[in-house]
Amino acid sequence: MKHNRSIWLVISMLVLASMLLSACGPSATPTATAALKVGVILPTKNEPRWIQDETRFKDAFTQAGYDVQILFSDGDSAKEKANVESLISQGVKVIIFTPQDGTAAAAAAQEARDAGVKVISYDRLIRDTAAVDYYVTFDSVAVGEAQGQYLVDKATGTGNPLYLYAGAATDNNAFLFFEGAWNVLQPKIADGTFVIKNSSEAVGLQDKATLTRDEMSQIIGQVTTDWKFDVAKNLAEANLTAAPAADKGDVFILAPNDGTARAIADSFAADGDVTSYVVTGQDAEEPSVQYIIDGKQSMTVLKDVRTLVSDAIAAAVAYLEGNTPEQTATYNNGAIDVPAKPSVVVTVDQSNVQAAVIDSGYWPAADFTGLDTLGAPTEAPTEPPVAAECPEGVYDFGPVTGGPAGGFLEQAVAGAFAGTTVTVDGTQVEPDDQKMKCGWKAFEEATGITVNYIGNKEFEARLSIAVDAGQAPDIADFPQPGVLARYAEQGKIVDVNSFMPADYLSATYNQAWLDMATMAGPSGPISAGVWNRGFMKSLVWYAKDDFDASGYTVPQTWDELVALSDQIVADGGTPWCVGIESQAATGWVATDWVEDIMLRTTSLENYDKWVAGTLPFASPEVKNAFETIAAIWFKEGNVFGGRDQITTTFFADSPAGLFTDPPNCFLHRQASFITGNFPADAEYKVDYDFFYLPPIDDAYGRPALGAADIYAAFNDRPEVKALMEYLSLPMSVSGFMNTSGALALQNGAVPEMYANAVDGDIGAALAAATSFRFDASDLMPGEVGAGSFWKGATDWASGAADLDTVLQEIDASWPK
Ligand code: BGC
């Protein structure tokens, strides 16, 4: 990847050079008379970050044989404006511009705009003006999240003292960094893991998950370092002087960047009451890399400035050629949405500094001392091994064996790839990420391969940025196959068929799963990933004891289910409990019913068309699904509380009727997770049991509705393939099977492997399904799937709107 990027850089530099030199003929030698087309303005040399940028710009321009003007503003907006004017007077066509003060720079940007010069905001956003053409940046919210996450990962127990520091209030980035850190830290402040020690403003706002810009300003005003070492040092010392010894001990420090981190770390290290500290940073400045090697700074966030420089140059070239630079996002600067291209960032600490900073060519090994000692840390690692938090002994999967004969997993277990690292990204965050990692523990122990899980809630957006930047994770865990399909189509995904033989795959997975993993690649279909974990929705829970006592039997067909309902009514009981209230998401229970019926009454092809928006809601197929449900829900005596209660009963309360004596209802259709809402003392196979929601038309087999995860590889290194093979073993899902609520999708998963018998039996029911489809509303565009479909189904259920109107309205809401 790196290789490609540098080739690309050379090519773009050559293009740029030819543009820049066009005024002075074909000679590649720069001359003093060459018209200057691009200028760069950086804020200050006092913050080492910008010296990195200067060097990287110079490297890039020198490589192209041209001397660009790079001006520094010495931290002074007046000087910055003079710099802009100087470049304009020299005839530049594009200015790559990092403002000292985002808002103060608006006037200078406007001057450039008036002179017909394109303004590329570089790393920092110029605010409150329409005179910004483009923004190249790192994902700054992700920087803050990486810092916050690092502190969270290192903290155990509760009451950990937390000291917060921020960047300069004049820098828009300071807000984005703080926002990202707050996203991650706030829940951990709310649950008592951390206690803020140095900001009364932050304490006052600590219950708020999201802060406004004004609220952040209040906090930043109190904890700003202004990006200056001495301000940071003085503030840290003042905080330490004010804090009693009880607020010290093992402390956690959010420091916004490397320069301030070193100043703050030195102050904390010098305080006798501080036993240990974890401190964040950013920029991978050389002195901080040395601090990390020496154990004096805990982490930094590597923002590969080479990427930003090449993106800025590509944008400048686009403008010079009369084109528009590539846009992958927009950032609002207070006046307009500025087209932007954010890049990914990487967390670096002792565990990966060698790989991320040295081996990647970012800094030369010769600039550091002590790199050789990193492999053998003298102190115990601060991060507890994953094993410490994994429940033991629920089911003994034994040693890691399996995968294709002679394949990569076998080689890995023989030690062939020990010492390597595989990165995985996905949507799982606490606490599920822990379960996920527990499932990988055996792999790590057996192979010596480290699995580095990134994971965050903005997975999809982040992944797309990372892939664009050529920095895809090795493997990604997709909860929605449609998202994976896009990358498969672009040729970014390693074909599983290229290393896992067809006979192994068909022995491992039900054909329905293999079919769903088959996706279009650029030159024909590929097997895009391996299925790992799933959930099943097509279940009917029933009041087992009363059901048996009444002599009822589990229905095998839809007709039998309807007959059973009628029988219960004839016997004086109520068959169903239905509740679809779920606050802002009210209606989802109804849409799940519609999806289950669609799968039982029409082809998978039609179901997929419906999801894609090409089979309308007003079609006979969808209308029939609603009517099939109406025949149960709206029939007198069929639903506990009557039709009126359906939309007002909270979904999680609705199964309660199964457990009253006598039961308020006998049947309740809901996904596997609903057991979590059953009374704590309810016993499986005694008080409750479940059956598969029966088929309606034999032509459509025994379909299952649910959700599942598919893992796909972006890189084909052997250790990556070894992990992909491991993910095809039920053992890799063990962290979830140990607790509850999720199923292993591989054929080898048997009920005994699950901690709860009910999960094992649901797993068996899922394995018996002949087809599987994802929850349709989750796949539809948000306006429909989490909007008009929920609402329409609710209005229909309550009787507020008639079915035809509802279906037409949902169709009309489909985004054009
Ligand atoms: C940059 C950081 C830098 C800080 C101080 C921010 O705008 O994004 O990389 O550490 O300014 O110079």
Side-chain angles (χ1 to χ4, degrees):
M1 278 177 310
K2 194 117 295 148
H3 191 56
N4 288 341
R5 196 159 59 232
S6 47
I7 288 174
W8 180 88
L9 184 64
V10 171
I11 294 169
S12 62
M13 294 310 308
L14 293 174
V15 174
L16 177 63
S18 69
M19 298 301 304
L20 296 172
L21 295 171
S22 57
C24 60
S27 159
T29 315
T31 73
T33 54
L36 187 62
K37 296 256 166 91
V38 180
V40 178
I41 298 183
L42 295 174
T44 172
K45 286 195 173 169
N46 289 338
E47 294 157 22
R49 155 71 208 274
W50 308 111
I51 300 173
Q52 280 196 44
D53 295 78
E54 181 192 27
T55 313
R56 305 294 186 184
F57 268 116
K58 277 189 182 154
D59 289 351
F61 280 97
T62 310
Q63 212 173 341
Y66 195 81
D67 204 12
V68 69
Q69 267 222 42
I70 303 177
L71 304 176
F72 276 89
S73 308
D74 301 337
D76 174 358
S77 297
K79 170 102 189 265
E80 181 177 271
K81 193 150 175 282
N83 283 340
V84 170
E85 287 162 2
S86 153
L87 290 173
I88 296 173
S89 71
Q90 293 175 69
V92 298
K93 296 284 173 273
V94 181
I95 299 181
I96 298 171
F97 185 172
T98 308
Q100 165 63 28
D101 174 325
T103 300
Q110 187 62 50
E111 263 189 73
R113 165 72 54 95
D114 294 345
V117 173
K118 295 283 185 197
V119 174
I120 300 173
S121 207
Y122 179 83
D123 192 87
R124 292 182 180 172
L125 189 55
I126 302 171
R127 286 189 58 85
D128 305 318
T129 172
V132 190
D133 293 288
Y134 188 62
Y135 182 31
V136 289
T137 180
F138 293 101
D139 183 342
S140 295
V141 174
V143 171
E145 285 175 349
Q147 295 171 330
Q149 192 60 50
Y150 197 84
L151 299 179
V152 169
D153 289 346
K154 295 293 168 191
T156 49
T158 55
N160 296 289
L162 177 66
Y163 291 80
L164 301 173
Y165 298 95
T170 51
D171 177 4
N172 191 57
N173 287 351
F175 289 80
L176 302 177
F177 301 146
F178 195 82
E179 178 189 331
W182 191 262
N183 287 346
V184 177
L185 291 173
Q186 189 276 339
K188 293 284 158 189
I189 296 166
D191 77 4
T193 304
F194 292 116
V195 183
I196 303 168
K197 294 298 181 191
N198 69 329
S199 168
S200 54
E201 295 286 357
V203 170
L205 291 161
Q206 69 187 11
D207 294 332
K208 296 199 64 174
T210 317
L211 300 177
T212 63
R213 195 170 170 99
D214 283 349
E215 287 165 344
M216 280 192 275
S217 284
Q218 291 166 30
I219 302 175
I220 294 174
Q222 208 171 39
V223 300
T224 182
T225 60
D226 211 18
W227 292 132
K228 297 190 171 78
F229 303 173
D230 54 338
V231 177
K233 178 171 183 286
N234 292 340
L235 181 61
E237 282 171 1
N239 291 159
L240 285 164
T241 307
D247 287 351
K248 298 179 186 172
D250 297 318
V251 305
F252 294 79
I253 310 165
L254 177 75
N257 75 345
D258 281 350
T260 57
R262 295 192 301 278
I264 295 168
D266 289 348
S267 306
F268 275 78
D271 188 299
D273 293 325
V274 172
T275 334
S276 76
Y277 61 85
V278 179
V279 64
T280 62
Q282 81 168 293
D283 295 333
E285 288 174 12
E286 286 201 288
S288 277
V289 171
Q290 188 63 56
Y291 259 48
I292 290 173
I293 298 169
D294 296 343
K296 296 190 328 194
Q297 180 176 326
S298 316
M299 64 87 81
T300 186
V301 181
L302 169 65
K303 308 199 298 188
D304 191 329
V305 169
R306 296 170 298 186
T307 309
L308 214 56
V309 163
S310 74
D311 283 348
I313 292 175
V317 170
Y319 284 129
L320 292 173
E321 289 178 335
N323 297 328
T324 314
E326 186 195 358
Q327 169 191 338
T328 56
T330 59
Y331 280 71
N332 190 283
N333 76 343
I336 54 164
D337 287 329
V338 184
K341 182 153 188 281
S343 298
V344 283
V345 299
V346 178
T347 298
V348 174
D349 69 359
Q350 278 193 349
S351 69
N352 66 341
V353 64
Q354 174 76 39
V357 176
I358 312 297
D359 300 347
S360 71
Y362 198 70
W363 295 124
D367 291 0
F368 304 99
T369 56
L371 273 171
D372 48 337
T373 61
L374 279 179
T378 42
E379 288 171 55
T382 41
E383 193 168 17
V386 170
E389 299 181 36
C390 298
E392 290 292 341
V394 180
Y395 176 81
D396 183 5
F397 283 86
V400 177
T401 52
F408 291 92
L409 182 59
E410 258 188 43
Q411 297 173 45
V413 171
F417 319 122
T420 58
T421 298
V422 179
T423 57
V424 181
D425 203 352
T427 51
Q428 304 296 330
V429 293
E430 260 204 306
D432 283 350
D433 62 341
Q434 198 56 36
K435 297 181 191 167
M436 188 175 189
K437 290 180 198 167
C438 284
W440 303 340
K441 192 187 100 197
F443 173 83
E444 294 189 282
E445 287 175 356
T447 63
I449 298 173
T450 303
V451 184
N452 192 355
Y453 178 67
I454 310 164
N456 58 71
K457 290 189 195 124
E458 285 88 41
F459 163 73
E460 277 179 36
R462 293 282 167 76
L463 183 69
S464 130
I465 295 171
V467 173
D468 281 352
Q471 295 172 4
D474 293 323
I475 295 176
D477 167 21
F478 292 87
Q480 295 185 341
V483 177
L484 167 58
R486 290 207 295 270
Y487 296 107
E489 212 163 2
Q490 294 165 7
K492 307 273 191 208
I493 299 297
V494 179
D495 186 353
V496 169
N497 290 326
S498 70
F499 62 101
M500 293 168 81
D503 56 349
Y504 171 78
L505 287 170
S506 49
T508 305
Y509 291 104
N510 180 319
Q511 189 59 37
W513 294 108
L514 296 179
D515 291 345
M516 273 193 299
T518 304
M519 298 181 186
S523 44
I526 63 164
S527 176
V530 292
W531 294 100
N532 188 253
R533 178 186 76 134
F535 299 94
M536 172 130 166
K537 296 197 170 194
S538 310
L539 305 172
V540 179
W541 300 91
Y542 64 97
K544 170 81 173 156
D545 43 0
D546 305 289
F547 190 94
D548 289 351
S550 305
Y552 303 140
T553 52
V554 167
Q556 303 300 326
T557 65
W558 195 261
D559 289 343
E560 286 179 22
L561 178 68
V562 172
L564 170 65
S565 275
D566 292 346
Q567 184 63 50
I568 295 171
V569 175
D571 293 345
T574 304
W576 295 91
C577 277
V578 183
I580 70 167
E581 200 277 327
S582 184
Q583 295 163 8
T586 296
W588 68 262
V589 176
T591 65
D592 276 13
W593 271 79
V594 176
E595 291 155 5
D596 246 336
I597 307 294
M598 281 292 283
L599 288 174
R600 284 162 178 70
T601 53
T602 188
S603 62
L604 294 174
E605 196 188 352
N606 273 340
Y607 184 90
D608 296 342
K609 283 188 183 164
W610 177 49
V611 167
T614 52
L615 180 78
F617 274 79
S619 64
E621 288 83 357
V622 183
K623 187 168 178 190
N624 171 58
F626 275 87
E627 283 169 342
T628 306
I629 301 166
I632 292 185
W633 287 15
F634 304 160
K635 187 171 176 184
E636 191 64 35
N638 254 9
V639 172
F640 176 64
R643 177 174 178 176
D644 292 352
Q645 300 283 313
I646 293 179
T647 51
T648 54
T649 304
F650 182 43
F651 82 90
D653 293 340
S654 58
L658 299 175
F659 303 97
T660 54
D661 193 17
N664 289 334
C665 57
F666 283 79
L667 307 169
H668 180 66
R669 182 214 156 279
Q670 189 50 282
S672 39
F673 60 74
I674 198 68
T675 52
N677 300 100
F678 289 175
D681 57 357
E683 259 186 81
Y684 178 51
K685 295 277 182 199
V686 178
D687 301 305
Y688 69 92
D689 200 345
F690 74 89
F691 58 81
Y692 167 77
L693 181 70
I696 297 181
D697 182 335
D698 286 345
Y700 305 116
R702 293 173 65 84
L705 179 73
D709 286 5
I710 183 166
Y711 283 77
F714 283 88
N715 291 313
D716 66 357
R717 298 195 312 281
E719 60 271 24
V720 176
K721 294 182 192 164
L723 180 56
M724 287 291 284
E725 292 183 5
Y726 177 74
L727 292 166
S728 75
L729 310 182
M731 178 189 262
S732 65
V733 195
S734 61
F736 290 102
M737 300 162 94
N738 260 343
T739 46
S740 84
L743 313 171
L745 299 178
Q746 302 83 353
N747 288 342
V750 292
E752 307 80 76
M753 292 176 179
Y754 292 89
N756 298 310
V758 61
D759 288 335
D761 292 346
I762 297 171
L766 181 59
T770 54
S771 63
F772 182 92
R773 276 299 180 270
F774 281 76
D775 183 308
S777 62
D778 286 347
L779 300 179
M780 290 173 179
E783 296 93 319
V784 180
S788 58
F789 189 8
W790 286 348
K791 181 174 181 306
T794 306
D795 290 347
W796 161 78
S798 69
D802 70 87
L803 183 56
D804 288 326
T805 311
V806 161
L807 297 175
Q808 279 159 19
E809 280 177 4
I810 303 176
D811 282 329
S813 73
W814 201 282
K816 300 286 170 303

